[in-house]
Amino acid sequence: MAYQENSKIAEFASFGYPLTGLVAAVLVALALAFCAPLCLAQEMAQGPAPRLAADPHTDPHIAEMIRQVSADHIRQTIEKLVSFQNRSTISAQDEESIKAGKGIGAAREWIKAEFERYSKECGGCLEVKTDTFTEQPGERIPKPTEITNVYAVLRGTDPQQPNRIVLVTGHYDSRNSDTFNGTDPAPGANDDGSGTAVSLECARVLSKAFLSKTSPSRARFPATIIFLTVAGEEQGLNGSKHFAQMAKQQGWKIEGVLNNDIVGGDSSPQQDASVVRVFSEGLPAAASEAEIRRIRTLGGESDSTSRELARYIADVGRSYDAGVKPLLIFRLDRFLRGGDHYSFNQQGFAAVRFTEFREDYNHQHQNVRKDDANVIEYGDLPKFVDFDYVAHVARLNAATLASLASAPAPPASVKMLTKNLENDTTLTWEPSPGAAAYEVVWRATNAADWEYVQKVSSGARATLKVSKDNVIFAVRAVDAAGHRSLPVVPEPER
Ligand SMILES: [Zn+2]
């Protein structure tokens, strides 16, 4: 359902920006015609005519950045990862195996070297780091095992917002049919060579986006971007759990986590290569009992920070030609499956999961083999991966990271005044560094995505002729170039 609505918006968006008055009028008329009982017509007639929230904003510089994503480079990355034969977290990581190019240790060293290579190409703009810890024996870990996450930091330039972080991740460990097999082939081309390649490709493209001959090391985005690859996913999300806990303990302000896991676009007959699923939690995993009570009272079940991030990705999908459209799934993950975004959700961070539209389970977590009739081919091999599709997903990720890292911080302390019984709605917030204006967005309570937007050119307060009882509001900050922050849903204040 959400997808159908989004795709309608996407079709209209192809008319370009700004929407012509006629198209906007037709859209508003359509919206009004279909929402009859809940309709905001009367209220809207009293106030300034709101624009549609699904009004794409395209930064030509970001559009140019994402054009640099290369399907061929992504293919090379995935084939290299597969060449390590078995990247199980319990596979070899001794010096000799690393030298022989076999096992997770060799994969780890190669990823690190690859980040360092990108950094060299941008005048040392990336800080390449590792996060290593020893996991004690557990259900899928037979003996104490060293686990290493490898990541690169593209430090933000704005001294007023040094801790703002957006993050992209994929897991570089793999598995075959047996969770405890660390030697036989576990190619993991799609699961999750594809996600690892997305993180690496975003690092490559965004690190050199601002390069010029005159200032080779000029720093880039106001906010910080982290390109992460984790291990231990298949043994129980161990790597991401450790990383997210570290981020929480150190007070990192991670605004959004994009977890790419199985984004290979497996070339099975019913695949839909025009979309990528984006999963987001509804009730936050980290919410306390008191917060759950508040969410229940206010009808905030579909407004977790993760879901606002998913809606932001939908907006990016309308603004840039990534080659693939996000299909928002309002659910934490697929049935019986989990992923690294959940580790971040548990620590209270907004995090979503990207996954191809249709998975082929013969090509995941399987020993490489054929069935007795020699018909079905099992195994997660590069030949089942659609490298163009992975490139499209990388473009959508890169555009989202660049948009968020270019935008001002989301407004803080967003409040909705509720002490008087009235039909108008007054919102207040604290100014964001770098914001040139703000936008109040809103939607009907039963709408999946933001529908309307009202610009607030000065001050940090707005009163709208729309009843707070009938819609869901949020406020976002906008800079002079039009980059939008994530929207923040207000807290009611008496
Ligand atoms: Zn996976």
Side-chain angles (χ1 to χ4, degrees):
M1 192 61 192
Y3 167 57
Q4 289 173 354
E5 289 175 12
N6 282 340
S7 68
K8 273 183 216 155
I9 289 165
E11 280 167 30
F12 287 122
S14 67
F15 283 94
Y17 173 75
L19 286 174
T20 64
L22 179 64
V23 173
V26 169
L27 279 174
V28 171
L30 278 174
L32 296 183
F34 285 113
C35 70
L38 262 178
C39 221
L40 311 169
Q42 206 185 348
E43 286 151 340
M44 289 194 325
Q46 294 165 3
R51 288 187 291 126
L52 288 172
D55 185 3
H57 167 75
T58 311
D59 173 345
H61 196 184
I62 293 176
E64 175 54 31
M65 286 177 208
I66 68 169
R67 269 197 288 275
Q68 305 306 316
V69 168
S70 156
D72 196 49
H73 191 256
I74 284 169
R75 178 187 56 75
Q76 289 169 34
T77 299
I78 292 174
E79 285 175 352
K80 184 69 190 179
L81 289 166
V82 170
S83 79
F84 300 116
Q85 182 136 341
N86 182 315
R87 308 190 305 278
S88 163
T89 300
I90 58 170
S91 66
Q93 45 180 319
D94 57 287
E95 277 306 318
E96 209 170 300
S97 304
I98 291 172
K99 250 188 225 152
K102 296 283 176 269
I104 194 162
R108 172 194 75 209
E109 292 306 311
W110 180 78
I111 291 168
K112 194 159 164 275
E114 194 70 355
F115 277 137
E116 280 161 356
R117 187 166 72 84
Y118 304 159
S119 185
K120 215 170 163 188
E121 287 169 5
C122 64
C125 73
L126 295 171
E127 297 161 37
V128 182
K129 299 180 177 227
T130 51
D131 161 38
T132 301
F133 62 99
T134 302
E135 189 67 59
Q136 294 309 316
E139 205 185 319
R140 294 182 182 183
I141 307 251
K143 58 176 188 194
T145 301
E146 200 169 84
I147 294 180
T148 300
N149 302 315
V150 186
Y151 62 110
V153 181
L154 184 60
R155 193 72 64 185
T157 55
D158 186 346
Q160 286 182 292
Q161 34 187 332
N163 299 327
R164 286 185 57 222
I165 296 167
V166 288
L167 187 149
V168 59
T169 187
H171 70 86
Y172 71 92
D173 62 312
S174 69
R175 59 164 291 181
N176 54 32
S177 302
D178 176 5
T179 334
F180 295 99
N181 183 322
T183 49
D184 294 318
N190 192 352
D191 187 10
D192 184 29
S194 63
T196 305
V198 166
S199 188
L200 280 163
E201 189 67 1
C202 286
R204 188 180 75 82
V205 165
L206 297 184
S207 63
K208 58 183 206 180
F210 289 72
L211 271 189
S212 74
K213 285 194 180 100
T214 47
S215 58
S217 61
R218 185 162 77 87
R220 303 139 228 292
F221 298 98
T224 295
I225 306 179
I226 293 180
F227 309 94
L228 174 65
T229 67
V230 299
E233 198 273 349
E234 303 290 7
Q235 313 307 116
L237 313 180
N238 313 69
S240 56
K241 191 173 169 190
H242 188 266
F243 194 92
Q245 283 173 346
M246 174 179 78
K248 178 78 185 292
Q249 279 159 13
Q250 297 185 4
W252 296 10
K253 290 192 181 120
I254 302 181
E255 279 176 21
V257 172
L258 313 180
N259 174 34
N260 289 268
D261 196 350
I262 311 177
V263 291
D266 184 282
S267 51
S268 56
Q270 286 144 296
Q271 187 61 274
D272 182 351
S274 71
V275 294
V276 60
R277 291 181 290 173
V278 177
F279 290 86
S280 60
E281 65 175 8
L283 288 181
S288 65
E289 278 301 315
E291 283 164 331
I292 299 278
R293 264 200 305 280
R294 194 177 57 82
I295 289 166
R296 187 185 297 131
T297 308
L298 302 175
E301 295 88 347
S302 193
D303 282 280
S304 65
T305 55
S306 299
R307 196 141 293 169
E308 306 310 355
L309 175 60
R311 293 187 181 105
Y312 191 94
I313 294 163
D315 201 40
V316 170
R318 290 187 289 267
S319 301
Y320 295 94
D321 181 17
V324 69
K325 293 289 177 198
L327 165 54
L328 304 195
I329 309 283
F330 284 2
R331 172 174 282 156
L332 172 64
D333 211 323
R334 303 99 75 232
F335 286 101
L336 298 175
R337 308 294 288 274
D340 292 315
H341 58 307
Y342 184 58
S343 297
F344 289 91
N345 287 156
Q346 282 182 305
Q347 299 304 320
F349 296 117
V352 299
R353 175 194 184 117
F354 290 79
T355 298
E356 65 192 12
F357 178 71
R358 188 177 188 275
E359 295 168 75
D360 187 331
Y361 305 104
N362 292 339
H363 301 157
Q364 295 176 15
H365 301 192
Q366 294 283 354
N367 288 341
V368 178
R369 67 189 192 281
K370 286 197 173 160
D371 69 338
D372 294 341
N374 208 26
V375 175
I376 303 170
E377 196 168 7
Y378 294 92
D380 191 352
L381 298 164
K383 67 176 173 185
F384 302 125
V385 172
D386 175 349
F387 301 108
D388 286 326
Y389 180 82
V390 185
H392 295 153
V393 175
R395 284 190 186 108
L396 183 58
N397 273 259
T400 304
L401 294 168
S403 297
L404 283 170
S406 301
S413 305
V414 182
K415 307 272 191 224
M416 183 161 66
L417 307 186
T418 59
K419 65 176 184 293
N420 299 325
L421 283 175
E422 56 190 359
N423 285 306
D424 291 357
T425 302
T426 297
L427 303 162
T428 64
W429 55 91
E430 284 174 15
S432 297
Y438 299 88
E439 286 175 347
V440 177
V441 292
W442 69 96
R443 65 178 203 271
T445 56
N446 61 348
D449 202 355
W450 300 114
E451 295 178 304
Y452 304 103
V453 59
Q454 180 79 56
K455 194 164 184 176
V456 182
S457 299
S458 64
R461 183 187 180 96
T463 299
L464 289 97
K465 299 265 179 210
V466 179
S467 169
K468 59 185 101 37
D469 299 320
N470 299 348
V471 303
I472 293 166
F473 281 108
V475 182
R476 61 193 184 197
V478 188
D479 74 358
H483 301 113
R484 296 159 175 160
S485 75
L486 285 163
V488 180
V489 174
E491 298 274 340
E493 190 174 68
R494 291 168 78 84

